[in-house]
Amino acid sequence: MKALLVGEYREGKLLESTYELVSFANAVGAEFEFFLVGSQDQLPQVEAKVHLADVTTAGEYNPALHKQLVLAAAEKAGADTIVFIHSSYGWDLAPRVAMALDAAQISEVIEADAEGYLRPACNAKLRRKVKSVTGKSVITLQAGAFNPVEPNGTPQAEALESAGDGNCEFLGYEQAEAGGVDLGKAEIVVSAGRGVGKPENVEMIQALANALGGEYGASRPVVDAGWAPHDRQVGTTGQVVAPKLYVACGISGAIQHLAGMKKSEFILAINTDKDAPIGEVADVLVVADVKQFAPALTEKLG
Ligand SMILES: Cc1cc2nc3c(=O)[nH]c(=O)nc-3n(C[C@H](O)[C@H](O)[C@H](O)COP(=O)(O)OP(=O)(O)OC[C@H]3O[C@@H](n4cnc5c(N)ncnc54)[C@H](O)[C@@H]3O)c2cc1C
């Protein structure tokens, strides 16, 4: 397999997720080259060719133009597999590239080997394993599913000429209205998952967070159900946290949740299921009913 890895650059910086693409290429044993709309001073530090389009002319966001650039780089690289991160950039651009190449697109891949790709289905309750049967394929990777490799190579940049103007012009970013809590700053985060059972029980998690001197967070179903506000959500579509202590209460450990907290220094999980996937990242898994364990711990701390 020859892969073209589509790196990401935002607000003048190469994103760390770019190194997750290398981890994917290693998992499937692919040779790879990079594509980047970015700048010479922000190249991925990898031992590979980087097809570099200048961000000052191509803009950070211009999908029609970037599609042309990706296609040009893929041809130069002789790539049969084009790989994106499943981010706002990747999920917009990947289908355009797949259409142009008449290629299969396999999205939100969480594991891969030479046999095929694993992706979540049915709200992550199932996993599907699939492989492409077209000559070329387009893959998007679930953010956080592949551990980023250490940046320690020397890239060889090759300039890509701009392929026109595209059909929109990137004007800049606008900061979302600040508000709510910045969980990223908390040293201790105690999060409520669906296992807490009902909205009133989120207060029990808040009480434990208070007793520990931390903030409370939540998994997405808890937020979607309206039991906690969105600024408390941890995960790929919420906040990414790396506190000294993360307490996961009734949280199964879906990949999208793990992506938001797996870099925490110490992870304590409370779950009735001893085989819950959260156990794979937890330093300590307490097999217990959170409705009994959390208040008991709060009381001890008080
Ligand atoms: C595109 C996309 C983005 C997503 N983004 C996010 C995100 O940002 N954050 C996020 O969290 N999810 C996200 N998800 C959803 C994610 O896939 C999972 O569905 C979600 O994380 C599951 O939440 P949960 O662990 O609270 O619930 P469940 O998966 O239902 O797990 C509940 C857990 O509680 C345990 N339990 C049950 N009762 C008790 C009890 N009494 N005591 C102790 N344990 C108990 C169960 O054993 C189980 O492990 C996203 C999904 C998609 C498709």
Side-chain angles (χ1 to χ4, degrees):
M1 182 192 292
K2 184 77 191 271
L4 182 72
L5 309 181
V6 179
E8 289 199 30
Y9 179 95
R10 192 180 304 150
E11 295 184 277
K13 287 213 165 65
L14 183 77
L15 301 190
E16 203 201 337
S17 57
T18 299
Y19 294 103
E20 296 176 24
L21 297 158
V22 181
S23 176
F24 165 85
N26 292 342
V28 295
E31 283 177 52
F32 62 86
E33 295 185 9
F34 260 97
F35 166 83
L36 184 71
V37 178
S39 59
Q40 191 73 39
D41 63 344
Q42 288 287 317
L43 294 174
Q45 298 305 298
V46 286
E47 210 62 49
K49 186 178 277 184
V50 181
H51 299 274
L52 178 68
D54 186 350
V55 69
T56 56
T57 51
E60 286 192 22
Y61 177 82
N62 190 339
L65 172 59
H66 290 199
K67 177 191 80 175
Q68 298 301 344
L69 291 164
V70 170
L71 292 173
E75 193 165 328
K76 283 190 177 193
D80 50 35
T81 307
I82 327 288
V83 192
F84 297 83
I85 294 290
H86 195 81
S87 61
S88 56
Y89 182 72
W91 73 44
D92 192 346
L93 193 49
R96 298 167 194 259
V97 172
M99 274 290 278
L101 292 173
D102 205 13
Q105 179 173 332
I106 301 172
S107 304
E108 289 187 81
V109 168
I110 53 171
E111 273 177 46
D113 57 30
E115 304 298 310
Y117 307 111
L118 205 59
R119 59 177 311 276
C122 303
N123 203 15
K125 297 279 178 252
L126 277 178
R127 290 172 170 200
R128 280 194 194 111
K129 189 158 192 181
V130 285
K131 70 173 187 175
S132 164
V133 291
T134 53
K136 292 191 173 152
S137 346
V138 171
I139 309 291
T140 72
L141 307 182
Q142 182 65 249
F146 293 84
N147 284 331
V149 298
E150 286 300 317
N152 65 357
T154 311
Q156 306 115 49
E158 192 175 295
L160 263 183
E161 289 311 314
S162 186
D165 295 331
N167 55 11
C168 70
E169 186 188 351
F170 172 72
L171 298 178
Y173 295 99
E174 195 171 307
Q175 207 62 42
E177 209 172 290
V181 63
D182 182 357
L183 291 180
K185 294 210 172 99
E187 294 204 335
I188 297 174
V189 177
V190 184
S191 287
R194 188 152 35 196
V196 301
K198 53 182 181 179
E200 298 77 18
N201 289 343
V202 175
E203 285 170 26
M204 183 181 76
I205 303 305
Q206 270 178 272
L208 177 56
N210 289 343
L212 286 165
E215 289 286 352
Y216 87 98
S219 69
R220 180 163 161 177
V222 168
V223 171
D224 285 352
W227 301 356
H230 183 261
D231 61 12
R232 297 281 169 178
Q233 185 174 314
V234 174
T236 47
T237 44
Q239 299 197 46
V240 175
V241 300
K244 290 194 169 143
L245 172 64
Y246 188 84
V247 187
C249 302
I251 291 177
S252 59
I255 202 97
Q256 296 90 350
H257 189 83
L258 298 186
M261 45 62 75
K262 68 182 180 189
K263 291 192 179 148
S264 305
E265 267 178 49
F266 193 92
I267 298 171
L268 167 67
I270 306 159
N271 202 301
T272 42
D273 178 3
K274 68 175 176 40
D275 297 319
I278 191 82
E280 287 166 28
V281 297
D283 296 282
V284 172
L285 170 66
V286 178
V287 180
D289 182 340
V290 70
K291 298 191 286 298
Q292 290 171 357
F293 190 84
L297 184 57
T298 307
E299 202 181 309
K300 284 261 179 223
L301 291 163

